[in-house]
Every structure is written in C-alpha cells, then in structure tokens.
C-alpha cells in the first residue's frame, strides 16, 4: 500500500515560513523519487498549515485525501513539522485529522507520523555543528515553549545534550532572565541558539531582543545563530521520517 505525504506546519502571516516550507517540499519530492524503486509510483507530497490559511486544516487534509483516492491510493501520512509535543501536536492536529476522517467516511486511511522534534539525536547533531562554528563561552537554547504539561521536556533534554541553558519565548525561564543570570555569573561571550525550523516574525523579534540585551550589557558579547532552516540535514531527516515505517 503506497501513501501520499502531507507536511503540516504552523502557518504564519509572514511569507518567509511559507516560502521555506514550499522549498522544503520541492527538495523532498526530488530526493524521495531517487529512493523509490523503478516500479513504485511517483511520490505525491503536499503541504498544509494549521493556522493562517483561508481553509481550515481538516478541509486541507480532506481535499488532499480525496486527491489521493483519484490516484488509486488509500493512505495519507501526515508529518507534523513542529519541534515540541505541545497543544498543536497532541490536540489540535489529531482533532483536525478526526474531522477529516469523519467527512471521508473511512475511504482513506490517515496516519499521523511522529512530530519532527521527536528526533532529538539527529537534531542535536545538527545543532552541535552550529554551536561549534561560533566561539562562545555558553549557549542558550531558545525555544518557543509550551504550556502543555511535559511539552518542554524535549528542550530540556536537548539543551542537556548540547551543554546549553534552556530558555523559552512564551514561557519561563525567559531569554532575558537567562542572559541576566549568565552575566551575573561572569560569562562574557553568550550565544543564543533559536530552536525554530524557519525564520519569521518570532526569530526577528529574538534578534531585536538580543540587540537590546547587548546594549544593556555592553561588556558582554552576545551572538545569535540561525534557526534550523532548509538544508541537507533537515531534508534528510524528513525523508527518513517519511519513508521509514
């Protein structure tokens, strides 16, 4: 039984994440085709967003599933492009899938694969490359943060693997409080590692705050790394998650 694939991201009014998502999808289509056997059908991969779309996610899923049926296939595999097991991953996406399944009347099987951030060891390897290329005394791993119980646990684990200090954009401890604590401890070269997939409004706001903190603590050098972005490591990781059962 062959599947079609649907990448589900958060969505944004900023065009950059959507452009990056489209770029990721195009690279994935090319790479997945290479992995398939000559007798296998061409891969069908599309994208959808949970928010900031004119069509709700369950309708996006339903439309893609109906298209899947026209190809003679009966399974859609959904990969949540999220880094935390928060409300979106654990509640919102399953609810939207359930609504789509109800409308489809079980004509297409919809499978939700593990979310991107569940691959901690692979992500830790990629982030290690980033932090070793920038000389800093200490790193802060800055995540969006989740208010869902245990939602931030992967960040804590990842920060521990990287030897970094965790901080969160929408929950505590905040970036500012962690920087202040490190300055008081005596660190003079502090790196900020944004744990986000794509650049957008939030990463812009992080950059502005880091500049404000640099002005507040002129004796300290504060550097900020790039988010994960669309690169070979991300493409290979997503391919492995899609093509492995």
């Amino acid at each position: 039984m062959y599947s079609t694939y649907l990448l589900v991201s958060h969505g944004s009014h900023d065009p950059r994440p959507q452009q990056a998502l489209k770029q990721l999808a195009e690279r994935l289509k090319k790479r997945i085709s290479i992995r398939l056997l000559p007798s296998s059908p061409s891969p069908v991969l599309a994208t959808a967003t949970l928010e900031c779309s004119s069509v709700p996610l369950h309708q996006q899923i339903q439309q893609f599933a109906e298209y899947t049926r026209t190809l003679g296939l009966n399974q859609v595999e959904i990969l949540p492009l999220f880094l935390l097991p928060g409300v979106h991953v654990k509640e919102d996406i399953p609810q939207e899938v359930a609504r789509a399944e109800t409308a489809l009347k079980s004509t297409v099987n919809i499978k939700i694969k593990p979310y991107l951030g569940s691959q901690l060891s692979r992500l830790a390897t990629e982030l290690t490359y980033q932090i070793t290329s920038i000389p800093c005394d200490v790193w802060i791993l800055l995540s969006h943060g989740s208010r869902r119980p245990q939602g931030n646990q992967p960040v804590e684990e990842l920060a521990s693997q990287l030897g970094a200090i965790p901080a969160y954009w929408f929950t505590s401890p905040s970036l500012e409080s962690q920087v202040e604590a490190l300055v008081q401890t005596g660190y003079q070269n502090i790196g900020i590692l944004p744990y986000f997939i794509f650049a957008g409004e939030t990463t812009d706001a992080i950059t502005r705050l880091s500049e404000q903190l640099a002005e507040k603590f002129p004796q300290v050098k504060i550097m900020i790394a790039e988010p994960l972005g669309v690169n070979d490591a991300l493409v290979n990781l997503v391919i492995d998650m899609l093509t492995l059962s």
Side-chain angles (χ1 to χ4, degrees):
M1 177 174 58
Y2 295 107
S3 302
T4 58
Y5 305 115
L6 188 64
L7 307 180
V8 176
S9 68
H10 184 276
S12 172
H13 293 297
D14 186 321
R16 288 172 295 170
Q18 191 62 31
Q19 292 168 357
L21 179 62
K22 181 179 179 181
Q23 180 186 1
L24 175 62
E26 291 302 319
R27 291 185 62 175
L28 287 169
K29 290 175 185 178
K30 294 177 181 178
R31 294 292 299 278
I32 292 174
S33 296
I34 295 174
R35 289 196 178 194
L36 291 174
L37 296 173
S39 59
S40 299
S42 298
V44 177
L45 184 146
T47 64
T49 58
L50 181 61
E51 298 182 5
C52 304
S53 173
S54 59
V55 179
L57 179 58
H58 67 273
Q59 290 185 12
Q60 297 174 65
I61 296 171
Q62 181 183 346
Q63 292 168 2
F64 185 64
E66 290 170 345
Y67 175 66
T68 297
R69 285 286 292 165
T70 68
L71 302 175
L73 307 176
N74 62 357
Q75 178 164 284
V76 174
E77 297 189 34
I78 293 177
L79 176 62
L81 290 177
F82 292 79
L83 294 175
L84 300 179
V87 173
H88 291 327
V89 167
K90 294 297 186 179
E91 299 176 26
D92 294 339
I93 292 177
Q95 289 171 3
E96 292 295 299
V97 167
R99 293 184 67 179
E101 288 176 324
T102 298
L104 291 164
K105 303 182 188 303
S106 302
T107 57
V108 178
N109 179 44
I110 301 176
K111 177 182 178 181
I112 304 177
K113 301 185 77 68
Y115 69 100
L116 181 66
S118 64
Q119 307 301 301
L120 281 182
S121 60
R122 294 278 293 272
L123 291 167
T125 298
E126 175 60 19
L127 294 174
T128 298
Y129 291 142
Q130 290 196 44
I131 63 178
T132 53
S133 65
I134 303 175
C136 286
D137 298 329
V138 64
W139 280 93
I140 297 174
L141 181 66
L142 178 61
S143 168
H144 179 283
S146 173
R147 293 185 176 87
R148 190 176 188 276
Q150 305 302 314
N152 294 326
Q153 184 175 351
V155 179
E156 307 288 328
E157 295 178 12
L158 185 56
S160 177
Q161 292 183 40
L162 297 172
I165 308 298
Y168 303 96
W169 191 244
F170 283 108
T171 59
S172 59
S174 68
L175 173 62
E176 187 169 11
S177 67
Q178 294 292 57
V179 168
E180 290 179 347
L182 291 173
V183 171
Q184 292 174 4
T185 304
Y187 286 101
Q188 294 187 336
N189 292 281
I190 300 174
I192 300 171
L193 182 58
Y195 189 45
F196 292 79
I197 304 175
F198 305 130
E201 293 176 349
T202 301
T203 55
D204 286 350
I206 292 169
T207 298
R208 290 193 296 270
L209 178 56
S210 67
E211 291 170 350
Q212 295 170 10
L213 291 169
E215 292 179 0
K216 183 176 181 180
F217 304 107
Q219 76 280 19
V220 177
K221 185 176 183 180
I222 298 177
M223 291 167 281
I224 183 167
E226 297 293 328
L228 290 169
V230 181
N231 54 33
D232 288 341
L234 180 64
V235 171
N236 290 335
L237 173 56
V238 174
I239 288 175
D240 289 343
M241 295 182 72
L242 289 176
T243 57
L244 296 177
S245 59

